[in-house]
Each structure stands twice: as structure tokens, then as C-alpha cells.
Amino acid sequence: MFKDIADAMREGFGMCLKEIKYLSERVKALEKKVGITTKQKGTSSQNTTSPSKPTLEHEGERVNGTNAGRKSLAEDKGPDVPAAVPAYASSSKDKAPEPSLVLLDKNQPTVSDLQKENARYEEKRDAAWALCRAKSDRTRKLAASQQSPYTSNNTARVIIPNKKLYQGYNPFAPIDKKKLKELADWLKTCPHYRTPVDKKPRKSKTWWYQILRTSLEWLDDCHIDAWINVLRKRYDANPQHFRSERMYFLDHLFAQQWRFNFKDFKDSEPDQNGLGRRLPGGAWNYYAGTIPSFCQSNKVWGTDIDDIYALVNYADTHWIAMWISIPKRHIVVFDSICSSISPEELDVVMEPFLYMVPYLLVECASSDEQCAQYSLEPFTYETLKYIECHALGIE
């Protein structure tokens, strides 16, 4: 941008110099043509003029043909005459030459035109400088929901699939209308089909699907576990469709129990090595991969599992998901509606997992060498949006 401005200014000054040179050459040629001489020191300062041309006397005639107190010759002869009438002057007794016309090219820019062009370029340059300064003054600031004492790099990122990165199925595929119609026809066979949802029995198939298909309706624990079972089933059948073969999907009971028993964990006294605290019931079974029982993995955390996915129910009003990375000692919170929970409340929700997961890895290690690989230091966490996209490797 600055190079273009400099080139334009250089070109404008060049045109100005050419115009000045052109005008000076014209003036010299005109003076030579009409016989105008310059006064010299030591010579006579009085010149004689020809009496045969009384209307063209006065040696001080201008190039454009104007004279004080009279109209120009171009105006007398009409608009087609672009030049002026030359004056007669002589420094000797010889007869002055005949008058001639000087034609000026209208296509050549004048000095005023060049000045206006330079002024326009300077105005554009100043506007460009002002825009650059305004952009450089902008600073990026994190939102209030992105501040946390546990956060190492808490920049919210939205995963938007703009190209086909999935290897197996597409989580954003449109709904099959044919299958949707088959489901609707099957639901009509239920005797409670037309019963209001708040009066339907919990075991009714129409109750479960009506809540699932209702926009902004609160999803119960059974809905969340059903979705996790679908992911677990797909992963068990085709692990190559996912981003890793060392991952594990947990049900809602994992987060529910660990949050409920975190107070007992903090209140229990550790031994001299920092161990011996009270863990929630079933912690070893989760660590060994024996629960959940559906599509049981039987893989050990840290040894066979690097990535753990789980869901958290916050106050029966909002669901969030977690990705626990054991090698990175880091937890990513997946929250599609970040405004539903404040940063302070999210810190309280995440605290049990930040402290108890590293403790479980050390407490349940099968050997001293394996125990030395881990630390009791708490994990860190950040926020993202979609858990399924991350599990499928869609960035």
C-alpha cells in the first residue's frame, strides 16, 4: 500500500517537472519569435515599438494574450482560438516581425491539475494510515467465562466442520425422513400416544421419544446414557472410525458419584506419601474398565486408555461433557451453551475430577515404576463445544 502511494507521488512530481520544462521551452520560443529582449546593464533601457501596429504595442504582453484594460485576442476571435496574440518589441530600428499564434495542448495537465491530484493522493494516504493505526490498537481479550484459576490456556474454540474429515459416519448428516416416519408410525401404536407428556408413565416408549424430540426439553439421565451407549457401541464395532483406539466412554453415574463423594475425599487424612484417601465407590472398577457393563472394555487407565469421555449433570438444568487426557494431565470441558454456567460454578463442578483423577492413577498403579509416571498435582482444564466431533477427530 505504501509502495503504491510512493509510486503515485513520484509519478505526480515527474509530471510536474515535465510541465514546467515544457512551459519554459514554450516561453523561450515565444520570446524568440516575437523578438522580446532582456535588459542588460550598461545599455539603453528604452526600446522602440512599431507604429504600424498600435493595437498590439506594449512589450509587456503575456503569453496567453491578455493585456491590462482589454480583452484577449482569443476572446475577440471566438472560442475556437485557444492561444493569445504575441506582442511586438524591438531593440533596434528594424521592422518588427509579423504576429503569430501559440497553440497549447489541452490534453496536457496543468500545474493546478497536478496539485489537485497530489492532494487526493495525500488524503488517501492519511486515511490508510489512520486505518492501520486503528487496527494495530485493537487487542484481544478473553471473555469473562474464559477465566479460571485451573485454566492453562482457556481460549474458547468452536469446532466447525467445513470439509469431510470424518472416516466413518457423519454426525452432522441430515435426518432420514423415511426412518423418522417409521418411528412416528411405531409410536402411534402405544396406548399412551395422546396422553400429555407430564402424565405419561415413565416406562412408556412415547414418553422417552417425545422428550427426545421436543426442542429445549430437559434430557433425563436415561437419554444421556442412551446416547453414550450408542457411541460405545459404534466405537466397539469400528474403533478405526474414531481418533484413537485408546479411549473410553463413561456413563453419567461416574460424574454423579465422584461429585457427591468429593467432600469425603477432601476430609480424609492422607498418609506420609499423600495416599490413603477415601475414593468414591466403584472407583477401581472404572479404573480397570469393568464398568459400565454395556460394551465393557476391560482396559486399564493409563496403561490401555489415554482419553476418557464423561458427562456431568449440573443442577438438573444443564449438561456438560468432559474429555480427560491422561498423558496431557488436562481436561477439556465441552459446553455447547457456555452462558448456562458461570466460571465460578464451573470451577466447583470440575474440582473433584481435577484432584481425584490424578490421585486414582497413583493410588491404583500396579508397580512403583508405573506409580512414578504420575503425580498427585491437579490437572488443568479448558472449554470447547462438541464432544462427539472431538472423539471422531473432526477439528
Side-chain angles (χ1 to χ4, degrees):
M1 178 180 70
F2 302 113
K3 184 176 182 301
D4 296 339
I5 295 175
D7 292 342
M9 294 177 67
R10 191 181 299 109
E11 182 180 356
F13 289 138
M15 293 176 64
C16 183
L17 292 175
K18 289 180 180 179
E19 180 68 16
I20 294 173
K21 183 178 180 181
Y22 172 78
L23 292 176
S24 63
E25 290 177 354
R26 285 289 189 179
V27 170
K28 289 180 180 179
L30 181 61
E31 289 178 350
K32 186 176 180 180
K33 191 81 172 178
V34 301
I36 298 176
T37 59
T38 306
K39 295 181 180 180
Q40 301 290 336
K41 291 182 179 180
T43 63
S44 176
S45 61
Q46 185 176 1
N47 296 329
T48 61
T49 60
S50 175
S52 61
K53 301 290 181 178
T55 60
L56 297 176
E57 56 189 18
H58 304 294
E59 64 183 54
E61 293 274 319
R62 296 182 182 178
V63 177
N64 59 5
T66 59
N67 192 11
R70 91 173 39 233
K71 296 182 179 179
S72 66
L73 183 61
E75 294 176 353
D76 295 337
K77 289 184 175 292
D80 296 332
V81 181
V85 178
Y88 289 94
S90 176
S91 60
S92 63
K93 296 181 180 180
D94 298 333
K95 186 179 180 179
E98 293 294 330
S100 62
L101 296 177
V102 178
L103 299 178
L104 298 179
D105 190 0
K106 292 183 178 181
N107 295 327
Q108 290 291 336
T110 62
V111 177
S112 60
D113 293 337
L114 295 175
Q115 290 176 349
K116 291 179 181 179
E117 187 69 19
N118 291 335
R120 285 195 295 268
Y121 276 116
E122 290 178 359
E123 183 179 357
K124 293 181 180 180
R125 182 195 62 188
D126 295 339
W129 273 109
L131 179 62
C132 292
R133 285 193 295 269
K135 288 185 177 180
S136 62
D137 292 340
R138 297 173 185 171
T139 57
R140 292 185 176 182
K141 298 180 180 180
L142 293 177
S145 61
Q146 298 172 350
Q147 308 296 333
S148 168
Y150 300 109
T151 302
S152 59
N153 181 18
N154 197 6
T155 303
R157 290 169 286 179
V158 180
I159 303 175
I160 304 176
N162 53 7
K163 57 183 178 179
K164 185 175 181 180
L165 296 177
Y166 43 86
Q167 304 177 22
Y169 67 94
N170 179 12
F172 298 97
I175 299 175
D176 190 337
K177 294 183 178 180
K178 183 178 179 181
K179 292 183 178 180
L180 190 62
K181 185 178 183 305
E182 293 177 357
L183 174 61
D185 294 339
W186 177 72
L187 292 176
K188 290 179 182 179
T189 61
C190 178
H192 305 287
Y193 177 73
R194 298 190 179 278
T195 306
V197 65
D198 56 338
K199 297 182 179 180
K200 290 180 184 290
R202 295 272 299 195
K203 294 183 179 180
S204 172
K205 56 187 178 182
T206 54
W207 171 86
W208 197 92
Y209 279 104
Q210 185 170 349
I211 290 179
L212 183 65
R213 298 174 62 187
T214 303
S215 177
L216 301 180
E217 187 70 25
W218 169 252
L219 298 179
D220 207 351
D221 299 339
C222 58
H223 295 91
I224 298 298
D225 284 342
W227 174 60
I228 287 294
N229 288 339
V230 170
L231 291 179
R232 194 181 292 114
K233 182 66 176 179
R234 290 175 174 174
Y235 178 73
D236 183 67
N238 297 288
Q240 71 277 6
H241 291 172
F242 293 78
R243 55 184 294 271
S244 171
E245 295 187 3
R246 296 173 57 87
M247 57 178 27
Y248 191 34
F249 294 94
L250 301 179
D251 54 17
H252 80 282
L253 292 175
F254 166 76
Q256 187 181 68
Q257 293 175 358
W258 280 43
R259 290 183 60 203
F260 182 78
N261 293 280
F262 181 59
K263 186 177 183 303
D264 294 338
F265 172 83
K266 290 195 301 183
D267 294 342
S268 58
E269 291 293 333
D271 57 19
Q272 58 183 359
N273 296 323
L275 303 177
R277 291 181 178 272
R278 185 181 305 167
L279 285 169
W284 168 261
N285 295 329
Y286 282 112
Y287 174 81
T290 58
I291 55 175
S293 59
F294 182 77
C295 293
Q296 196 177 68
S297 69
N298 294 313
K299 294 181 179 181
V300 180
W301 292 12
T303 303
D304 308 308
I305 298 296
D306 291 335
D307 302 319
I308 302 171
Y309 294 93
L311 293 108
V312 182
N313 181 348
Y314 172 69
D316 287 336
T317 59
H318 186 54
W319 283 99
I320 60 176
M322 296 185 301
W323 163 45
I324 303 173
S325 176
I326 295 176
K328 296 180 180 180
R329 299 180 54 82
H330 188 66
I331 300 178
V332 178
V333 177
F334 297 88
D335 188 359
S336 58
I337 311 176
C338 299
S339 59
S340 297
I341 182 172
S342 66
E344 294 78 12
E345 293 168 337
L346 186 59
D347 290 340
V348 175
V349 172
M350 294 303 300
E351 188 177 7
F353 311 103
L354 299 177
Y355 284 90
M356 295 172 69
V357 171
Y359 179 86
L360 179 66
L361 294 172
V362 176
E363 182 72 69
C364 297
S366 58
S367 63
D368 294 338
E369 293 78 9
Q370 188 178 7
C371 182
Q373 298 177 4
Y374 306 114
S375 170
L376 295 177
E377 291 296 322
F379 284 9
T380 57
Y381 85 91
E382 62 176 327
T383 57
L384 286 180
K385 267 192 173 287
Y386 303 115
I387 181 175
E388 187 175 9
C389 296
H390 188 274
L392 290 171
I394 300 177
E395 298 295 339

